[in-house]
Every structure is written in C-alpha cells, then in structure tokens.
Amino acid sequence: MPTLILVRHGRSTANTAGLLAGWTPGVALDERGSAQAAALPDRLSALPMSEVVTSPLQRCRETVAPLLAARPGLRVHTEDRIGECDYGDWSGRKLAELGDEPLMEVVQRHPSAAAFPGGESMRAMQTRAAEAVREWNARVEHEHGEDAVYLMCSHGDIIKSLVADALGLHLDLFQRISVEPCSVTAIRYTRLRPFLVRLGDTGDFASLAPREEPPGDDATVGGGAGAP
C-alpha cells in the first residue's frame, strides 16, 4: 500500500497569538509559516508525489500552494475529514484561558473521553481522519500502484491521532506525540500493519534548545507554534 506523507500546516496567525483556531475562518499563515511553506518543495524534492490531499482550511491550502506551483501537474483534492478538530465553543479562545477549564484535564489525561462543548469528541476526530486515510490509501494504490507516495496537509491533533492509530496506541496516549508546524511525518502502510518512518521532521533542531520559559507538562491543544 502507499506511503503517506503527513504535513502539518505552517505556523499560523492563531499559533503566534496563542489561540485555538479550530475551524475559525480567516486563519492564515504568518510570515514564518509562509517561509516554511516556501521551503517545502525543496524538502520534498526527492519524492515522486502522486496526489496531494488537503484540509479545506486556509492555513493548509496556503501551505501546499508552493508545492503545487513547483509541480504544476500534481492534482490536489480537498478532504473535509482531515480538517481540524471541531473545538466548538472553544474555537477562537486563548489557550491560556482554556487551561483553567475542567475539561482541559480530560483533554490532556483521558482524551478518548473528551468532547468539546458545541463541537465534536476527540474519538470522532480520530475516527473520521483514519477512515479518510484508509479510503485514500485504497484510491491511491488503485490509481498509482502499491509503491505510490502521496501527501496530506492537515493539523496537529489530526496528525497526532493518525500516528497513534498507525502505532496501535490508545487515543489516551496521543498527547505524548508532538508535531511542529510544517513538520513532515511519514507512514508506510502495508496489508498487515503500518510503519512509522518519520515523525515530526522539520530539519530544524532549534525547538529542542532550552527556553526561557519551559514548555510545561501538558500538550498544546491544536499543536502549538513550534520553535520561537
């Protein structure tokens, strides 16, 4: 079966503002995110990409735009099921404020039981994304062969949940996974099991350096802004 390249969108205006964007319209790449997207064609130049599938949200469409411009014959498809988690009433709120919500502890410690008010559950998020991947795997294999490589551009929590699915991890463990903006994660699917062959690769180790303010024990809902 095909190899899936998962790209998280580049750094967005919501990331730098500390907002949980969700499906809020008008969230674009910031200056750094645009530079990250511009570097993507060179980073992926060795890969014979067969298809590009993207979340419908603006920040993902902007991330794949330079890659599509560099490869004018590459087809792009929009897939709602790999769109961001629907955070419902939490959408557009500051992450610093949400840290005091009782639900945040559930999101961090027991995400399989977490459902956002006015939105969806994290279980539903993972299920729809995993179903989309399996359907696209079959489609890409049918049209391009079992050795095909294709790309999906999506969001932090979606990619983390797909990695957990590929590794056979319970969703309650997915907050242990980290994927930075414009990072590349690769999963090679086979008939019997997937293989995680890259995780959150940015080619930049700056985010590993000590920070003035330590990142803390909790995962950043939505994925975080990456290196400062």
Side-chain angles (χ1 to χ4, degrees), residues 179-199:
V179 289
E180 294 191 3
C182 223
S183 62
V184 172
T185 294
I187 302 172
R188 186 174 72 248
Y189 288 87
T190 73
R191 186 174 65 87
L192 297 179
R193 65 180 66 85
F195 293 89
L196 179 66
V197 292
R198 290 289 190 280
L199 176 61

Side-chain angles (χ1 to χ4, degrees), residues 127-210:
T127 298
R128 62 172 164 87
E131 287 178 348
V133 165
R134 281 160 174 75
E135 289 179 19
W136 277 101
N137 282 348
R139 175 173 173 176
V140 169
E141 181 177 11
H142 176 73
E143 295 183 6
H144 302 282
E146 63 183 12
D147 294 326
V149 178
Y150 75 109
L151 181 146
M152 280 186 169
C153 185
S154 188
H155 307 266
D157 281 348
I158 295 288
I159 294 173
K160 288 162 56 178
S161 75
L162 290 171
V163 169
D165 175 76
L167 292 175
L169 293 178
H170 196 284
L171 184 62
D172 286 345
L173 300 177
F174 101 123
Q175 297 291 25
R176 302 183 184 194
I177 299 166
S178 176
V179 289
E180 294 191 3
C182 223
S183 62
V184 172
T185 294
I187 302 172
R188 186 174 72 248
Y189 288 87
T190 73
R191 186 174 65 87
L192 297 179
R193 65 180 66 85
F195 293 89
L196 179 66
V197 292
R198 290 289 190 280
L199 176 61
D201 188 347
T202 64
D204 179 2
F205 297 103
S207 65
L208 302 180

